[in-house]
Amino acid sequence: MIPASLRRTPSSMRRIMRELEKELARLFEEARTELESLVDSRALAEPEELDPQAGERIGRVIEYRILRPGRSLVEEAQSKAYRAGVARSAQLLKRIGIDAALGTIPTDRLVLAALEQRSLSALKGITDEMSKTIMQELTDGAIRGEHPNDVARRISAAVDEVGIVRARTMARTETMYAIGQAEEQRYRQHGIAQVEWLATPDPGRRTCDACAALDGKRYPLDDHPPRPLHPNCRCDLLPVVEDP
């Protein structure tokens, strides 16, 4: 039987999520001022005229202010999340009578590399969408002959709504994905063939209908619903030992 204390997301995992959220948000905030400054005499030289190099400037700001420093943040967070998943799986396996070592296994390096690439691709997708939105705002502002301050406010909103909000979601979702992959690797290593879906890892947290419908259901380890089931999902899989 898995005790209640292990049926919720450990504080160490929540801390990894919060740290990555905070650091990614900081990168977008630092880029904000430079992105807003694109709306000056160079970006909107004359009414209905847009600087042809505006897109290149947006790309440089995003590359040097967000993507390059973001790479090390994401890689470090995924490594921490994976190790946290290994530790949690050891605790869960111990409760059902399996002594799981915390050392590395051959697949860890390959899985971790794939996790890092997945998260970096997600971050790149966010910045690509933000870049497109900012460029559209610059173009619309030039066509309408708007005051640069009005365009700058919309660019700032794009940083918030497209960049920071989605980056926070990515941090939470990708952290849980890495933790889940680490757990499943260890379950496989120790012969676990069946898992139980746990939809309420944090008492008091609102659980969506889709996750609640899966709570307590058992699945083959290699044939369960995708986890995370949706962005921000914190569902977990518990190891199950079938009765003789």
Side-chain angles (χ1 to χ4, degrees):
M1 173 67 70
I2 304 296
S5 61
L6 290 179
R7 297 178 70 89
R8 58 177 179 266
T9 306
S11 59
S12 60
M13 294 181 184
R14 295 196 296 271
R15 186 164 55 250
I16 294 169
M17 293 180 204
R18 288 195 297 268
E19 288 176 353
L20 183 57
E21 283 185 63
K22 178 181 177 181
E23 290 303 308
L24 288 178
R26 177 181 59 80
L27 295 183
F28 281 88
E29 288 286 1
E30 291 175 351
R32 184 198 302 274
T33 301
E34 291 187 46
L35 291 170
E36 289 176 346
S37 72
L38 293 170
V39 194
D40 59 15
S41 59
R42 295 173 302 171
L44 298 175
E46 297 291 341
E48 301 184 8
E49 181 180 342
L50 181 68
D51 182 353
Q53 295 184 335
E56 294 180 13
R57 292 196 179 100
I58 294 171
R60 284 198 296 270
V61 172
I62 288 175
E63 175 67 24
Y64 288 98
R65 293 297 185 189
I66 299 175
L67 290 178
R68 293 198 180 188
R71 174 180 293 275
S72 60
L73 291 176
V74 166
E75 290 177 350
E76 181 181 4
Q78 289 297 76
S79 179
K80 287 181 179 178
Y82 194 83
R83 292 197 302 271
V86 169
R88 176 165 170 78
S89 67
Q91 289 180 311
L92 294 171
L93 289 167
K94 186 175 181 179
R95 296 299 303 191
I96 58 174
I98 298 175
D99 187 12
L102 293 178
T104 59
I105 59 177
T107 55
D108 282 344
R109 185 176 297 178
L110 293 175
V111 174
L112 189 52
L115 291 171
E116 291 171 353
Q117 188 57 50
R118 171 188 157 106
S119 293
L120 291 171
S121 295
L123 181 60
K124 180 67 162 55
I126 293 169
T127 57
D128 284 348
E129 184 64 26
M130 188 177 75
S131 175
K132 186 196 307 182
T133 302
I134 291 173
M135 194 65 199
Q136 187 64 55
E137 295 296 354
L138 284 172
T139 303
D140 291 347
I143 292 173
R144 297 167 185 162
E146 294 180 320
H147 192 283
N149 289 347
D150 294 330
V151 182
R153 278 193 291 271
R154 294 205 302 274
I155 287 177
S156 180
V159 173
D160 282 331
E161 297 165 12
V162 181
I164 294 177
V165 170
R166 288 183 58 186
R168 289 184 183 278
T169 297
M170 186 212 84
R172 293 189 289 268
T173 306
E174 293 303 309
T175 296
M176 286 306 297
Y177 185 77
I179 290 167
Q181 290 300 304
E183 289 176 349
E184 291 183 40
Q185 287 293 315
R186 289 309 185 276
Y187 294 166
R188 247 178 235 106
Q189 179 191 14
H190 293 281
I192 297 298
Q194 191 177 45
V195 290
E196 178 184 328
W197 190 277
L198 175 64
T200 53
D202 293 309
R205 183 177 296 277
R206 183 177 180 274
T207 303
C208 74
D209 292 341
C211 292
L214 299 178
D215 189 43
K217 291 187 176 181
R218 294 185 174 186
Y219 301 93
L221 176 59
D222 294 319
D223 189 25
H224 58 76
R227 181 178 58 136
L229 190 64
H230 54 76
N232 294 323
C233 177
R234 293 195 183 188
C235 290
D236 203 355
L237 292 176
L238 304 178
V240 173
V241 174
E242 296 183 12
D243 293 332

